Amino acid sequence: MMFFKLWKHDLDYGLLRKMVFYVLLGFGQAFLFCRGFSSWAAAMSSIPDVGELTETFGNHLLYLFQGIDEYIPSPDEPFDFPSMWMLVFLCGNLLTLTYPLRDLEGIGQQILVRSGRREYWWLAKCGWEIVSSFAYLLMLALGVLSYCLVFRIPIKAEISQRLVEVMIGWGLDRSLPQAEVWLWLLVIPLLLLIFLNLLQLLVGLVFGPIWGFAVNGALLLLSAYWMKSFLPGNYAMFRRSIWVLIDRGMVMGNGAALLIGGSLCVIVVGGIVFHRRDILKKE
């Protein structure tokens, strides 16, 4: 089937041949951020009122997606730019930024013309974006795992509640539901990255790759600045989840529905735009 041939082509040229970059970015970020987390945990453990904090693999992974507290604009409260949280997602966007356009200008153009179905080319690219998003976050998680092995941090799925409470700055009213938090960790960041990469693909093909990347950066920044349920980035911040903000936090199910629905809309709209627009006119 032509779709699977196109998809296989994209996975080969757009992912497998670039896997070294996925490994470098995933492992590099993991070691950099986890080292910072370990240093912070050691410093906090030296404070008598805090006591010893036990690091686990689960806590390190959660740390990458903690985000920031809800921001309420005030002259006395400067905006705390979530550099680590944004970098994690923007690096995933960066890895998929240029391949679709370069493929369209090279061998992909010949394949597109021979296939006779623009929809297949578009859907293959969407499938490639989904697999690439998963591959990047997998490398990030493997990087965290490797860091824990190197520094002899317990490889436990358990997320230390005491360490989380010190991290967010206050005590939680109830015990963390470990299974739910892990489900959130495995699902929501992946769904957000898939949505962002699909959006970047659509905007990039119409206006250019830089514009696609810029739109994603603006969307993440807006999500950090403004805690609203229609801004998808909020659902991928643990500090803004229902487990931390009991009365007004983001609900995982709502986030999953928004991100899946948004991704499907991008796929449908992109298919319509790609079918009607003369993508090859520059050639």
Side-chain angles (χ1 to χ4, degrees):
M1 187 177 178
M2 182 56 68
F3 165 75
F4 290 105
K5 290 182 179 179
L6 290 170
W7 191 30
K8 182 178 180 296
H9 165 81
D10 289 331
L11 292 178
D12 184 11
Y13 285 86
L15 178 60
L16 296 179
R17 299 191 183 197
K18 293 185 175 182
M19 187 56 68
V20 62
F21 297 108
Y22 284 75
V23 174
L24 288 175
L25 270 179
F27 277 67
Q29 285 186 101
F31 271 72
L32 177 65
F33 295 141
C34 288
R35 194 57 189 157
F37 182 55
S38 291
S39 299
W40 171 84
M44 295 302 295
S45 296
S46 65
I47 301 175
D49 292 340
V50 174
E52 184 177 356
L53 298 175
T54 302
E55 301 173 57
T56 66
F57 167 72
N59 279 102
H60 273 271
L61 200 58
L62 184 67
Y63 172 72
L64 297 177
F65 301 103
Q66 64 170 321
I68 59 173
D69 299 327
E70 178 185 7
Y71 177 64
I72 301 175
S74 168
D76 302 325
E77 286 291 334
F79 178 62
D80 183 18
F81 185 78
S83 55
M84 179 185 67
W85 178 82
M86 285 192 65
L87 189 61
V88 166
F89 288 104
L90 289 177
C91 281
N93 297 154
L94 189 63
L95 286 168
T96 63
L97 181 61
T98 60
Y99 168 71
L101 189 60
R102 286 195 292 104
D103 179 69
L104 193 60
E105 294 172 346
I107 190 173
Q109 180 181 149
Q110 302 171 25
I111 296 176
L112 175 60
V113 172
R114 286 202 305 267
S115 70
R117 295 292 299 272
R118 290 176 171 226
E119 295 85 356
Y120 290 161
W121 189 93
W122 168 254
L123 290 175
K125 288 294 181 292
C126 291
W128 162 76
E129 291 281 15
I130 293 172
V131 176
S132 296
S133 300
F134 176 80
Y136 166 69
L137 290 180
L138 178 62
M139 292 303 107
L140 192 66
L142 290 176
V144 174
L145 179 64
S146 299
Y147 175 86
C148 292
L149 288 172
V150 169
F151 291 96
R152 298 182 180 179
I153 294 169
I155 309 298
K156 294 181 180 179
E158 177 187 0
I159 296 172
S160 168
Q161 178 154 336
R162 175 58 179 156
L163 198 150
V164 168
E165 290 175 338
V166 175
M167 184 176 72
I168 64 177
W170 66 83
L172 299 177
D173 294 335
R174 59 186 179 186
S175 299
L176 280 176
Q178 299 282 327
E180 289 182 29
V181 175
W182 263 103
L183 182 62
W184 174 86
L185 263 177
L186 294 172
V187 172
I188 298 301
L190 176 60
L191 289 179
L192 176 60
L193 185 58
I194 288 173
F195 169 72
L196 292 174
N197 277 336
L198 290 172
L199 182 62
Q200 177 177 265
L201 173 65
L202 172 59
V203 176
L205 286 175
V206 176
F207 300 105
I210 296 301
W211 285 107
F213 189 75
V215 166
N216 279 349
L219 187 57
L220 289 172
L221 188 58
L222 269 176
S223 297
Y225 188 85
W226 204 13
M227 184 176 163
K228 295 294 180 181
S229 58
F230 59 84
L231 291 172
N234 283 289
Y235 294 97
M237 292 189 188
F238 177 73
R239 286 174 176 265
R240 298 184 181 184
S241 68
I242 192 69
W243 305 298
V244 177
L245 303 176
I246 305 297
D247 56 338
R248 63 188 188 283
M250 296 294 166
V251 179
M252 177 172 57
N254 295 343
L258 176 67
L259 292 168
I260 292 174
S263 296
L264 291 175
C265 285
V266 171
I267 292 173
V268 172
V269 171
I272 295 172
V273 170
F274 190 71
H275 180 75
R276 296 181 177 179
R277 186 180 176 88
D278 186 7
I279 298 295
L280 303 178
K281 63 183 178 180
K282 294 181 181 179
E283 304 298 321

